[in-house]
Amino acid sequence: MALPAYATPGERIAYYALRLFVGLVLLFLISPILAIMPLSFNSESFFTYPMPGFSLKWYIGDEGFFTNGRWTGALYLSVIVAVSTTALASVLGTLAALGLARANLPGRAAIMAVLISPMIVPVIISAIGLFFFYASPWVGLNGTIPGIILAHTALATPFVVITVTATLMSFDRTLMRAGASCGAPPHTVFFKVVMPLILPGVISGGLFAFVTSFDEVIVILFIGGPEQRTLPRQMFAGIREQISPTITAAATVLILFSTALLITVELLRRRAERLRGIRN
Amino acid sequence: MAVIDAAASDTVMRAADGTPLKKKLRQAERREQLRALMLIAPLFLFIVVTFLFPIGSMLERAFYDSDVADNLPRTKALLANWDGKEVPGEDVFAAFAADMKAASKVKTVALIGKRLNYEIPAFKSKVVATGRKIDKVEQGPWKEAIIGIDPIWGEVGTWAVVKRSARSFTPFYLLGVLDLRQAADGSIERMPADRAIYVQILGRTFGISFLVTLCTLILGYPVAYLLATIPQRHASILMIFVLLPFWTSLLVRTTAWTILLQDGGVFSQVIHLTGITWLLNVLGLVDGEPQLFKTRFATVLAMTHIQLPFTLLPIYSVMKTISPTYMRAAKSLGGKPFYSFLRVYMPQTMSGVAAGCLLTFILSLGYYITPALVGGGTDSMIAGFIDTAMNSEANWGKASALGFMLLASTLVLYYVYNRLIGIDRMKLG
């Protein structure tokens, strides 16, 4: 939408005003994230510019993100929980999405509503519900790692279901019949034909599941014991009690991590489009 | 007739084993459906057992509280026939004494006190003291002894509360979060002004959510418009500015705002350097440096930042489908640019606006982390009060009732969302 040569002065003003406004909004979106990163290299423990000096001590010093026991422990726990959640959620979610993709399933809308309910219910309500459930004597999962993994899996599966369902919508089912008519048994068709085509969707869903677990802070505040300090919980406690620059280092690492994920998902999306021969 | 039937059955197509093809097809379809259900079953059961059931039983606590009924069973039975006109007789007091002695043994007097304390201020310590003293009294008459311990037991109102709270199914908590309560005669009345805070909190939660939705729409609509109308390769680059914050965790963005908004922090520096502080002072809106951290402004600012992509992306995806020829047609028919935009372009974007705004509004209702960290405790939204009721007051009935209100609002709005847009078409980045 370039400005045509015959544009009126009014149109010219609108054209540049719109660009200026959009520029400011985009600046507003990105600047908090960019502003926080340099502060993690501050040699002093305060949060203003200009910084007096450069230092890596919030990464590798006594209080550093990669060296302090509390932070490395939190990172370790978060990774364990997120990887387990991703594995469970991807398997359960993909199976369910494959089932949902079959034609004329009775009560499909109701089933879908149940499956994506964890995404709809406000997290604070899920947290309290799970707390009471885990506290009952015959469950007893409060303050345990399996409890956290199960809770995160419930919260993460809707993202897998939605992503994989979306991928399956554009999946050409005649390919399965083609495979079968060439003599392949159902499991061969699944692993050799279906899986490679829906894999980008499954991986995207898995990444969503990973992020859901890795970022989750409210549920862990309720069901986690004192020893279960995941990374978000450690950060939350840090902000509540006393803000140390290590938090900015943690934030920086997480921002870089989400940038990497963003790029991965985008590449997967392009690959999926290429595989299916869709072009813009 | 018989002749025709026989002729028809001969023309039915049959499979190799002799069953009609129609029947075969039905069988195959049923097998297919069964297989589909088998694939869904594991996740379905998982969600029902580990997610929906816990939430259901949590919500039950908003209506059901058996602390008093379980611990004062004899008193409850006798009070059922009490007419509530004057202080009950010796039999009720004797039953009460027996119940309290039993409760002292199993150390549940405090539970009774806690529940009654919700309705009679500062009553818990009196109940606990009564429990302790009655344990030492060996013999009746119980009525005199108990009223002697604390004259409050000689009031009709006290026993009305005991009778009411001994009912396990109670409207007490739900009425409470609507600033209502049951009077001694069972009618519903307003909570006294000093205890009526929850309607205001609900209103504030809706108000903040509405304001955030409005801000994201005002900021997001022009961005979506520009991104949808410039060449794709430019749009892809600018889209990074939207998607990177979208992918960054909510906690990280809240952390960023917490740090930037500190008194004398980066945000104050920026508004100082750009002259906004000076402008606000000239206009007389603030005196000196504006206080930012732990204010309503900070909450709305941070929430707008976090929710902006949620509003923007659905609008963008709708705008991408609008052909530019419509605008050209409008202009060639003599429409002035602004008028054509208003009458031709904007109506076509409304489904995206509805989707984005509803999503942001619904998500804003449940915000907990951001108001707690950026906005300061005094300006909490409903989720913050659920946390307070759970962790500080240990009032589980109230927490559940507040949760019920939040969930009900959310579900109603999602129902609207589903009607308008269809929930499984929700976009994820």
Side-chain angles (χ1 to χ4, degrees), chain B residues 199-272:
Chain B
V199 169
Q200 194 199 339
I201 290 162
L202 275 176
R204 184 198 293 157
T205 306
F206 275 87
I208 292 179
S209 302
F210 181 76
L211 193 59
V212 169
T213 308
L214 191 69
C215 290
T216 57
L217 179 63
I218 292 170
L219 297 181
Y221 194 91
V223 178
Y225 176 70
L226 190 73
L227 288 180
T229 47
I230 59 175
Q232 184 64 42
R233 59 178 193 285
H234 296 162
S236 297
I237 295 167
L238 292 181
M239 207 55 171
I240 294 172
F241 287 77
V242 180
L243 289 180
L244 183 58
F246 186 63
W247 269 91
T248 308
S249 96
L250 188 147
L251 184 64
V252 168
R253 282 181 282 168
T254 304
T255 309
W257 281 111
T258 314
I259 287 168
L260 299 178
L261 286 169
Q262 298 279 326
D263 296 327
V266 175
F267 194 82
S268 326
Q269 289 181 310
V270 168
I271 64 167
H272 190 80

Side-chain angles (χ1 to χ4, degrees), chain B residues 163-197:
Chain B
K163 179 178 178 175
R164 211 171 338 118
S165 51
R167 248 179 256 137
S168 299
F169 280 96
T170 169
F172 171 74
Y173 295 110
L174 274 179
L175 288 175
V177 300
L178 292 169
D179 290 343
L180 300 170
R181 67 176 182 188
Q182 272 184 305
D185 60 354
S187 66
I188 289 168
E189 61 175 22
R190 273 172 198 282
M191 203 69 103
D194 58 321
R195 294 175 73 190
I197 52 169

